[in-house]
Amino acid sequence: MCLVHNENHDHLFLNCKFAKSIWQSVFNLFGRRMIEAGSLKSFIEQVLLFTFSSQVAVLWCSAVVQTIWVIWKLRNAAIFEDSIPNIHLALRKIWSSIKESDFFRIGCMSNSMVDLNILRLLQITCKPTTAPKIIPVTWHTPLSNWTKVNTDGSALGAPGAAGGGGIFRNSAGFTKGSFAFPLGNEFAFAAEIAAAIMAVDIAWKRGWHSLWLECDSTFMVQLFTSKSKNVPWEYLHDWLSCLHQISKMNFQVSHIYREGNRVADLLAKHGATAASYIWRSSVPNFCNSVIYQDFSRQTSYRFC
């Protein structure tokens, strides 16, 4: 039979009747059409391009490797032990090896009938994709006589050209002013610190002493809540001044997801490329659409 007498290894692994039957079974199991290739190298390159979910992809790679190995072992057994190849035994060995490759449970299946059927046929426990957690995010106005400022920092690299920005709004949601400024080459977290410090300083000097600062950095919220001095040394003096200012104010700080902090994010990115500090008493044109979404209390959604 061809497993014994044929000298062409590529023919042995791909085109002899016994090998083709095994490959056809493997392809059928994974829901793929059998391909034709002139060489084993070309065949492997093509089959490894097939797309699967991360859990099934591991099983497919194992199936390809194990099928080649089983065919090779059966060929040697036929030559040196005069054994007759058994396709059912060969397939059982392949299925067993595939199951062993799922030991580390790498990746997740697609939540589809195709993946479900493959994994059930192999008697492998499905690891479904976790459903995303959907969090509604809405920007809220401050209390009457309070001013709310949303701040953010941005860096176009780590480090890179950095900047900060923020926007002040009253209890009706109207803009009281906005700022943006460049920082040079910095990290994003430093830009966030600089933006928050500047926001407090602006509010202090303008007499907005009932201030609600909101940002998308949990690190900044923790700094204000704990009044920690754990900031980069170049910002320490300004940070201590900021802590003194808020101690004399009605002040609160809160976290909001980035989806609710988009105006400040746009201002921070604008600041990163600006030539100098910018203050506007009106809404910047490039923020109009996002400002309107906040003003009309439109809900954004965060998927995590």
Side-chain angles (χ1 to χ4, degrees):
M1 58 192 311
C2 66
L3 273 179
V4 177
H5 299 295
N6 195 282
E7 298 293 335
N8 186 316
H9 286 182
D10 286 353
H11 177 82
L12 163 68
F13 286 115
L14 302 175
N15 300 322
C16 78
K17 185 176 180 180
F18 184 83
K20 290 189 74 170
S21 297
I22 293 178
W23 280 116
Q24 189 63 64
S25 298
V26 172
F27 274 76
N28 288 343
L29 173 64
F30 284 87
R32 292 295 187 269
R33 181 179 296 179
M34 180 73 177
I35 66 171
E36 300 293 336
S39 68
L40 181 61
K41 179 176 181 294
S42 173
F43 178 81
I44 293 174
E45 289 173 348
Q46 291 183 62
V47 297
L48 293 182
L49 290 176
F50 290 162
T51 56
F52 297 96
S53 64
S54 53
Q55 184 180 12
V56 176
V58 173
L59 306 179
W60 172 247
C61 291
S62 174
V64 173
V65 172
Q66 292 301 326
T67 301
I68 294 172
W69 175 242
V70 166
I71 292 173
W72 178 253
K73 288 184 68 176
L74 290 174
R75 182 243 186 207
N76 289 342
I79 293 175
F80 300 111
E81 300 172 15
D82 294 325
S83 67
I84 299 174
N86 184 312
I87 190 169
H88 301 293
L89 179 60
L91 290 173
R92 279 202 298 271
K93 288 181 179 178
I94 293 170
W95 304 156
S96 176
S97 297
I98 295 173
K99 289 182 68 174
E100 289 179 6
S101 69
D102 191 58
F103 176 78
F104 294 104
R105 306 301 306 280
I106 299 171
C108 299
M109 64 174 285
S110 296
N111 296 343
S112 66
M113 287 303 300
V114 174
D115 276 20
L116 187 61
N117 287 334
I118 293 171
L119 295 170
R120 282 182 173 175
L121 287 171
L122 289 169
Q123 297 180 343
I124 289 176
T125 303
C126 299
K127 187 179 178 183
T129 304
T130 304
K133 184 179 180 181
I134 304 174
I135 303 173
V137 182
T138 307
W139 183 85
H140 295 285
T141 56
L143 296 173
S144 178
N145 298 321
W146 276 67
T147 298
K148 184 176 184 179
V149 58
N150 286 79
T151 65
D152 199 8
S154 176
L156 308 178
I167 181 165
F168 295 87
R169 285 172 281 193
N170 63 19
S171 59
F174 295 123
T175 301
K176 300 178 72 171
S178 67
F179 65 92
F181 61 92
L183 269 177
N185 202 49
E186 266 292 8
F187 290 95
F189 80 92
E192 289 168 349
I193 293 172
I197 290 173
M198 182 167 289
V200 171
D201 189 56
I202 291 171
W204 175 261
K205 291 175 179 176
R206 290 180 175 266
W208 301 334
H209 291 174
S210 293
L211 183 69
W212 175 8
L213 186 147
E214 189 172 65
C215 58
D216 56 36
S217 168
T218 54
F219 172 70
M220 281 308 309
V221 174
Q222 184 180 0
L223 278 180
F224 275 108
T225 303
S226 64
K227 297 180 172 55
S228 170
K229 299 179 178 63
N230 186 27
V231 298
W233 66 267
E234 63 266 34
Y235 296 103
L236 182 58
H237 179 269
D238 291 337
W239 175 245
L240 293 176
S241 175
C242 175
L243 292 180
H244 173 73
Q245 289 169 338
I246 65 174
S247 70
K248 305 296 183 180
M249 301 166 67
N250 294 321
F251 179 81
Q252 69 177 48
V253 61
S254 65
H255 173 266
I256 190 169
Y257 289 113
R258 185 170 299 276
E259 289 77 7
N261 202 41
R262 289 175 296 171
V263 181
D265 180 59
L266 287 173
L267 289 165
K269 290 176 179 175
H270 180 63
T273 58
S276 60
Y277 171 80
I278 302 168
W279 168 263
R280 294 182 177 90
S281 56
S282 59
V283 178
N285 290 335
F286 58 85
C287 294
N288 278 338
S289 62
V290 183
I291 283 281
Y292 175 75
Q293 290 176 25
D294 287 351
F295 183 79
S296 59
R297 311 297 185 270
Q298 293 183 22
T299 300
S300 300
Y301 295 93
R302 180 179 183 85
F303 295 84
C304 55

